[in-house]
């Protein structure tokens, strides 16, 4: 899209947001044009990681929330705001982790491991959340897992994140994590050989590695280089506190745009693996949602969940917000 077209669509979105009493919450994995805040000439009212966006969803005054992220995130915003209308510009904005597990799978895990608490990564659908004890995001997974007294914990659905967390949790607390087999199809591409190659080509760089990267990718990253293994927020914070000029980033490609925007004098190297679900959200379909609000044409965009599912999914999400 050319500059003239983008600026026309930006001003149309801003005008309709005001007319329709709507706010735009945007994830760090959105394309760069949806990461620009309205105060900086863009259209987003808030940009954040999944925990930041969940928290922001509880503070919104506007009647309508447009969620520029993936569907499980928009569902979380809806469950926290039942009286508001929550929209997503494309219902097909899924997630390979969220679709890897169902509510029935959680019930089966509970049957196999009676009495063991279940922690679910927020990357799950509402029906699955309704069956768990607490949700977590990549930012607070560690503190939530440690907060349980039990010797065992079921952690679903991300097997790689679970393995990475397990190493730290088992070493610090002796607690054993029972894992599911879900995988993030984006982060799993940061294999051991990919990370080794990038590290060998950039021996002076620090590494920024998301929890969802497989353990062999993590091991290869930290073989000789320093850096951080953690959440999106940990990655952003680490760069701010580091004196290094160059970083290898093992996370979603457009987080590179966020980093470059925040730290323009630093260099970020990544093979640029994009999340195909996040990229379903565009300026054009964001404008279409706004046009539809108030017209009766909202069904393709509005998050509608059964009342009973929302009632049962709310406590695990609310508990998660106590660990910020
Ligand atoms: P964050 O919790 O870091 O925002 O991550 C969400 C996600 O989908 C990671 O792939
Ligand atoms: Fe899901 Fe991975 Fe995309 Fe995040 S990056 S939304 S975990 S598929």
């Amino acid at each position: 899209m050319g500059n003239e077209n983008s600026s026309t669509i930006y001003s149309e979105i801003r005008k309709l947001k005001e007319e329709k009493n709507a706010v735009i919450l945007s994830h760090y994995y959105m394309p760069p044009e949806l990461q620009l805040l309205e105060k900086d000439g863009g259209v987003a009212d808030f940009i954040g990681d999944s925990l930041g966006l969940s928290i922001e969803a509880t503070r919104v005054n506007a009647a309508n929330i447009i969620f520029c992220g993936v569907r499980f995130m928009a569902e979380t915003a809806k469950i926290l705001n039942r009286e508001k209308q929550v929209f997503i510009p494309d219902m097909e904005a899924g997630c390979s982790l969220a679709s890897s597990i169902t509510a029935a799978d959680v019930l089966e895990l509970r049957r196999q491991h009676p009495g063991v608490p279940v922690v679910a990564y927020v990357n799950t659908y509402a029906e699955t959340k309704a069956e768990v004890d607490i949700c977590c995001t990549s930012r607070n997974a560690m503190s939530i897992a440690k907060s349980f007294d039990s010797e065992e914990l079921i952690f679903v659905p991300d097997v790689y994140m679970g393995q990475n967390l397990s190493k730290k949790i088992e070493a610090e607390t002796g607690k054993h994590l029972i894992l599911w087999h879900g995988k993030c199809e984006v982060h799993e591409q940061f294999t051991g050989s990919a990370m080794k190659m990038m590290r060998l080509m950039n021996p002076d760089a620090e590494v920024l590695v998301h929890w969802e990267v497989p353990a062999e990718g993590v091991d290869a990253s930290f073989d000789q280089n320093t850096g951080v293994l953690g959440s999106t927020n940990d990655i952003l914070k680490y760069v701010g506190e580091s004196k290094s000029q160059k970083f290898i980033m093992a996370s979603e490609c457009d987080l590179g745009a966020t980093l470059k925007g925040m730290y323009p004098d630093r260099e970020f190297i990544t093979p640029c693996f994009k999340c195909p679900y996040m990229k379903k959200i565009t300026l054009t379909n964001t404008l279409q949602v706004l046009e539809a609000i108030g017209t009766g044409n909202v069904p393709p965009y509005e998050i509608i969940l059964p009342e009973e599912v929302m009632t049962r999914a709310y406590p695990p999400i609310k508990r998660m917000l106590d660990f910020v």
Side-chain angles (χ1 to χ4, degrees):
M1 183 179 298
N3 281 347
E4 199 183 313
N5 277 347
S6 326
S7 68
T8 312
I9 201 163
Y10 274 154
S11 51
E12 193 58 18
I13 290 176
R14 282 195 291 261
K15 180 168 82 71
L16 285 175
K17 271 203 307 174
E18 204 175 326
E19 276 174 31
K20 308 259 176 127
N21 191 16
V23 292
I24 293 180
L25 305 184
S26 195
H27 191 267
Y28 288 131
Y29 293 179
M30 280 294 100
E33 61 273 21
L34 279 165
Q35 285 200 32
L36 202 54
L37 287 168
E38 177 162 340
K39 70 175 179 58
D40 298 324
V43 293
D45 294 280
F46 184 83
I47 308 168
D49 67 342
S50 56
L51 185 62
L53 293 170
S54 301
I55 295 166
E56 199 54 30
T58 65
R59 298 181 178 151
V60 164
N61 286 323
N64 299 299
I65 298 175
I66 298 172
F67 209 104
C68 291
V70 286
R71 187 157 57 85
F72 74 80
M73 297 179 180
E75 285 187 354
T76 306
K78 176 66 191 175
I79 294 162
L80 289 167
N81 281 287
R82 284 166 78 157
E83 75 293 354
K84 294 188 196 301
Q85 283 187 290
V86 177
F87 303 94
I88 184 158
D90 189 333
M91 271 308 160
E92 300 292 307
C95 169
S96 62
L97 281 174
S99 58
S100 75
I101 190 160
T102 63
D105 294 327
V106 174
L107 293 175
E108 178 56 22
L109 281 168
R110 285 202 188 275
R111 199 192 56 74
Q112 287 172 14
H113 306 280
V116 179
V118 183
V119 180
Y121 196 24
V122 75
N123 299 39
T124 42
Y125 289 118
E127 292 78 6
T128 307
K129 288 187 174 84
E131 302 300 339
V132 309
D133 294 292
I134 187 166
C135 296
C136 70
T137 73
S138 61
R139 208 195 310 177
N140 57 14
M142 196 68 189
S143 47
I144 288 178
K146 281 200 211 160
S147 73
F148 282 87
D149 289 334
S150 61
E151 282 174 14
E152 284 188 313
L153 211 55
I154 297 170
F155 176 82
V156 297
D158 189 341
V159 67
Y160 296 137
M161 179 167 170
Q163 286 165 349
N164 292 327
L165 284 169
S166 273
K167 276 195 192 157
K168 295 205 178 208
I169 291 168
E170 289 194 10
E172 283 178 40
T173 66
K175 209 185 289 297
H176 172 64
L177 260 56
I178 298 160
L179 304 177
W180 187 244
H181 50 71
K183 291 165 187 168
C184 163
E185 66 184 57
V186 181
H187 288 89
E188 78 171 332
Q189 297 177 80
F190 293 98
T191 58
S193 50
M195 292 314 293
K196 190 170 176 201
M197 171 101 76
M198 283 199 290
R199 211 173 43 63
L200 288 174
M201 286 164 71
N202 303 282
D204 52 338
E206 286 205 275
V207 284
L208 310 169
V209 185
H210 196 279
W211 279 124
E212 292 170 13
V213 169
E216 43 134 12
V218 175
D219 292 345
S221 305
F222 292 98
D223 189 17
Q224 284 167 31
N225 301 43
T226 54
V228 65
L229 168 62
S231 68
T232 303
N233 233 54
D234 294 331
I235 289 173
L236 296 172
K237 199 160 153 251
Y238 187 86
V239 176
E241 288 165 1
S242 164
K243 299 221 178 329
S244 300
Q245 273 308 307
K246 204 183 204 188
F247 299 87
I248 297 166
M249 189 196 68
S251 190
E252 211 274 346
C253 181
D254 282 326
L255 182 61
T258 318
L259 283 162
K260 200 66 194 163
M262 287 171 80
Y263 308 107
D265 58 326
R266 317 286 184 95
E267 190 185 346
F268 300 98
I269 295 145
T270 179
C272 198
F273 299 129
K274 288 187 186 257
C275 172
Y277 310 106
M278 291 275 183
K279 295 329 146 189
K280 288 198 174 289
I281 313 300
T282 63
L283 277 176
T284 305
N285 56 22
T286 301
L287 175 61
Q288 282 163 358
V289 178
L290 278 157
E291 286 168 342
I293 293 174
T295 65
N297 293 329
V298 292
Y301 310 113
E302 185 171 5
I303 301 287
I304 306 277
L305 294 166
E307 290 294 323
E308 181 259 346
V309 169
M310 288 198 276
T311 303
R312 296 181 55 235
Y314 180 77
I317 295 173
K318 187 76 181 63
R319 281 178 209 126
M320 165 183 91
L321 298 183
D322 292 337
F323 292 82
V324 175

